[in-house]
Structures are given as C-alpha cells and as structure tokens.
Amino acid sequence: MALPIRSTSAWSQLWTESARPHGARGRRTGPRLDVSAGIHTRPRVTVVDGRGQADGEAAGPPGPRNEEVSVAEVLLFHHLYGLTDGVREFADRLRGAGHTVHVPDLYEGRVFDRFEDGLAHAELTGFDTLTARGVAAAETLPARIVPAGFSLGVLPAQTLAQTRAGVRGALFLESCLPYAELGPWPAGVPVQIHGGQSDPVFAGEGDLEAARALVAAVPEAELFLYPVDRHLFTDSGLASHHPESADLVAARALAFLDRLAGTP
C-alpha cells in the first residue's frame, strides 16, 4: 500500500536531520515545545514532570495488576535500527505480564549499530515496502490484534490500526502520523501515544501535532508526554535511552493492554 503521509525523500530528510540518537550527534537547536499554554488542561493529554510524575498522577510504582485479566495479542514493529535487543526486551516485558507479543523483523535479519546505516537500509528497501511487510505480518493473526510500533514502526502499526477491520486498539511509541491521510479513525478503537515533549523528531517534525489532532478527534485516544529531548528514549539498548521515562511508558502500556484485554 502506498502511503500518502510522507514520501521516501521526506522520511529521509526527517531522519537525517533529526532522528539520530542523543549522544551520537550534537544537540539540535530549535523552537521548544511550550507546555505552559494550556496543555496541562487538555483532555487525555498528560505531561510528565522531571521526577517521572504526571499531572494528577500519584508518584511511585503502579499498583498490583489484575491477574485474572485476559491477554491482548500485540503485533510490535521495530524502529530504524532494526529488531534490536531493546525492542526485544520491551516485548518480553509485555509477555512477562501474560500478553501475547509478535515481533516481526521488517529488516529480514539486519540490525544496525549506526543511525546512518539503518537509514540507508530503510531507504534502499523503501518505506512502502517496509509498511507492506508489516501489514503482511498481520495476515495470519486474529482480527483482534493490537498493532504497536516504535517510531518508524508506527508506519505499519498505524496503517493496520486504520485499515484492518477488528483491531482491538493501537500503541504508538515516539511517532504519530496525520490520521486523516489514512482515512477516518475507526470508531471505538482506543489508541495510546507516547512521546518526548522536547524530542526534535516527535515534537519538532509534526508528530506531536498529529497526535494532538488524533486525541482531539478520537474520544478513546490518549497522549502522554515525557521530559525527554532525544528520540528513541524507549529502547533500553541505545544511547538515547531514558530509563525513568521508558519504565513509565512500559507501565502505562501494560495498563492499556490490560484494559483492552478486558474488552470483548
């Protein structure tokens, strides 16, 4: 399926200028996200402070989970570097809570240590091809899956969420596409979005605006922002990792999956 959201050249420019992990490039300067202009009062938008505590949210670890809840079936897509140990670890955290998690390898065995190499491989393969591989990975799975993705992996995850009948919900980590360019958001499908409030990619390249538009249009949508100024802070194996925020993302994702698993 050809995606109208971003051409290959646009994705190349986006990643080349903005998506290198913190520590592998100099800091990129630019307009800072203004979190004082009413964002704290926006419905279903949560900003986390420097202690990892959100507005109106108690500090400390989450409470005990309901052990009798049924499981969700998640289809989790990796980011630009490939199927890294950090992506596998996140999948294992979801599995450890009892959920079923499928992690297809869109790069067919290739994993990259350097951003530039991952980008070159993605460009050579083609973003449309990578999305098509992700869509194909869902063909043998039940209809009631939860598509999820890290950054680049949101391309197939959001495509499935908006075009595959019967999905139970969707989980977007550090990326969000303009939903209207894929068609209407399916009625009654919840989505949870996580991103860094000062991430030059998520906050500076249009993903935050797309996420806010989705939250404004979809009653079941949630957006969580974290005090992070780097991209791919959720991957524990990259220099961009932000442990406190990543742990909070995982806890919220698990609570989200528990809620989805409890729906028919």
Side-chain angles (χ1 to χ4, degrees):
M1 173 181 177
L3 287 178
I5 296 96
R6 289 174 177 143
S7 65
T8 299
S9 60
W11 270 99
S12 175
Q13 182 178 4
L14 183 159
W15 284 95
T16 300
E17 294 178 352
S18 307
R20 299 178 185 180
H22 188 77
R25 57 173 175 83
R27 286 194 177 187
R28 177 172 178 256
T29 59
R32 293 182 59 83
L33 176 65
D34 182 5
V35 298
S36 64
I39 188 171
H40 290 271
T41 62
R42 293 174 63 88
R44 304 184 308 283
V45 178
T46 302
V47 180
V48 181
D49 67 19
R51 298 166 297 163
Q53 182 176 351
D55 298 336
E57 184 176 66
R65 299 176 59 250
N66 180 3
E67 297 300 333
E68 297 181 357
V69 73
S70 59
V71 300
E73 188 152 0
V74 182
L75 183 59
L76 178 66
F77 298 106
H78 62 74
H79 48 64
L80 187 78
Y81 286 80
L83 187 48
T84 61
D85 290 341
V87 174
R88 294 180 187 275
E89 180 182 333
F90 185 86
D92 285 341
R93 292 182 76 166
L94 304 186
R95 292 187 184 110
H99 300 291
T100 300
V101 184
H102 307 274
V103 191
D105 186 352
L106 304 181
Y107 280 5
E108 299 181 334
R110 302 292 300 275
V111 178
F112 298 94
D113 295 325
R114 298 196 316 151
F115 161 82
E116 292 82 359
D117 295 336
L119 173 62
H121 181 73
E123 290 179 326
L124 181 64
T125 304
F127 294 102
D128 289 346
T129 297
L130 294 172
T131 301
R133 288 177 181 175
V135 171
E139 290 179 353
T140 60
L141 299 180
R144 298 289 282 166
I145 60 170
V146 180
F150 288 84
S151 189
L152 178 67
V154 171
L155 277 169
Q158 189 164 342
T159 299
L160 284 167
Q162 292 193 236
T163 63
R164 178 184 168 95
V167 297
R168 180 169 279 180
L171 178 64
F172 302 157
L173 306 180
E174 306 191 59
S175 185
C176 184
L177 307 175
Y179 78 92
E181 297 187 24
L182 278 170
W185 187 265
V189 174
V191 57
Q192 192 176 84
I193 310 160
H194 302 266
Q197 66 184 34
S198 299
D199 173 357
V201 177
F202 184 81
E205 298 292 346
D207 297 80
L208 177 56
E209 288 79 4
R212 283 174 167 163
L214 184 55
V215 168
V218 177
E220 300 85 2
E222 298 175 295
L223 170 60
F224 294 97
L225 299 177
Y226 301 82
V228 176
D229 64 353
R230 64 198 76 170
H231 197 55
L232 294 177
F233 71 90
T234 50
D235 187 313
S236 61
L238 298 180
S240 51
H241 185 225
H242 191 272
E244 295 82 4
S245 295
D247 285 345
L248 191 52
V249 170
R252 285 173 168 155
L254 284 170
F256 178 65
L257 293 177
D258 283 352
R259 294 198 304 270
L260 293 180
T263 62

